[in-house]
Amino acid sequence: MDTDSQYCQTGGNLAPSRPCGRCRQCRVSEAAEARATPRDPHLLEVPVCLEGAEVAEGAGAANRLIKASRRRPPLRRYSRERLVNALPPSCPSPAHLAEMSADEIQQLKEWVEQQPHLPPVPEEQLPLFLRTADGDLEKAKEGVDLYYTVRTHAPEAFSNRDPLMPEIDNVAALFHVAASPVLHPDGYIVLFARLLPDTADRFVHADALKFYWMCEDLALREHPANTGFLFVFDLSGMSLPHLARLNLVLLRQYLVYTQDALPSKVIGNHMVNVVPATETLINIMKPIMKKELSDKLFVHSKDMEEFYKHVPKSVLPKDYGGELDSLEVYHNETRQRLKEHREWFLSEQALRVDESRRPGRGLTATDVFGMEGSFRALSID
């Protein structure tokens, strides 16, 4: 059995000796032995993306397959072939995926193992860093280091990430976050975030950012073949009291991670349903935002037609004029899937950098984020 088939797609982290009997790899193996395997009604045997959506045939077909597709767990191995083949049929294979070689992945693996300060990086993550770096090995090395360094020095958002914690349920009740169950035709993950109105008195920025990043991690695990992220922020519930509870350090950490450490490309940041407080929020973020990310910031007021040019209706919840179910439905399903991935979140938070072993000099939060890594409240006039 080759490397890619050693991990069961449906059973998650099952050993080869414990096939689930549902995914294609396990069914092929069992068929070779028994020559008779019952057909699985949940096995999508048409050319589909990871979401199970027949993108080439339009959103109608995609919508019919969404329910079945949500039962598909994340892939455990992300080989070049899988990353290419799992993209929507309408999405051309990115050159950097086509050029990714097993030798490059092995070189990155060997480099990681030689770094005394890095944790044991899961092998399935390595192609993601190479993909984000367009196959540039040196940039991929920087990406690996930054990914774990930022998570180490942002403990408010990257520690205590148990999906069963009351804080997670509390923030999920006032902050809707979910990825579209259908990839964008160009292979992007579309991640939505919507703050509900009249929630400022219960809003805790650190918990909200933690929950958002957990949902982002889940989207990456469920859609490893993505070609980037399209972020959609619904600001209809934003108010000045919310802004007063924002934390400048956490905003800085969010921007540094998104700009430099996220193992996926940022395609665009779209703000919809803007309110008067939107301009204040943008003015807060712009000074600490790189030009590359600033150029990808789009603010949509009442003209949604421009928004649809970036994010087609086929991947949008009906809340935004789309052809899918409501964002609240996907948000609730995301909360459940976070709990199903609890073991991964608990083990992931142990993978952090040991600065005392970093070659040269260990880094501090000031080195990483450009300011002291403690809470600092904003003053809103």
Side-chain angles (χ1 to χ4, degrees), residues 87-120:
L87 290 172
S90 60
C91 178
S93 176
H96 59 279
L97 287 186
E99 295 170 0
M100 188 188 301
S101 69
D103 182 59
E104 289 173 324
I105 296 175
Q106 182 62 29
Q107 288 182 56
L108 182 58
K109 178 184 177 182
E110 292 174 356
W111 176 84
V112 167
E113 293 172 345
Q114 294 169 5
Q115 307 310 305
H117 64 295
L118 289 179

Side-chain angles (χ1 to χ4, degrees), residues 167-199:
E167 292 86 345
I168 300 300
D169 281 336
N170 292 341
V171 73
L174 48 96
F175 186 42
H176 288 175
V177 183
S180 172
V182 181
L183 282 180
H184 186 284
D186 291 328
Y188 312 140
I189 295 173
V190 184
L191 186 66
F192 299 89
R194 177 175 64 197
L195 188 61
L196 301 185
D198 303 319
T199 55

Side-chain angles (χ1 to χ4, degrees), residues 38-57:
R39 174 179 168 78
D40 184 349
H42 300 296
L43 184 69
L44 304 176
E45 296 183 346
V46 294
V48 295
C49 66
L50 283 180
E51 289 66 46
E54 295 175 274
V55 179
E57 294 186 20

Side-chain angles (χ1 to χ4, degrees), residues 219-233:
L220 277 171
R221 284 179 60 75
E222 293 185 329
H223 312 289
N226 75 87
T227 56
F229 267 100
L230 272 175
F231 299 109
V232 179
F233 300 98

Side-chain angles (χ1 to χ4, degrees), residues 283-295:
N283 289 337
I284 292 171
M285 297 179 66
K286 281 265 187 165
I288 52 178
M289 188 182 297
K290 286 185 176 180
K291 184 179 184 303
E292 181 183 358
L293 190 62
S294 179
D295 290 343

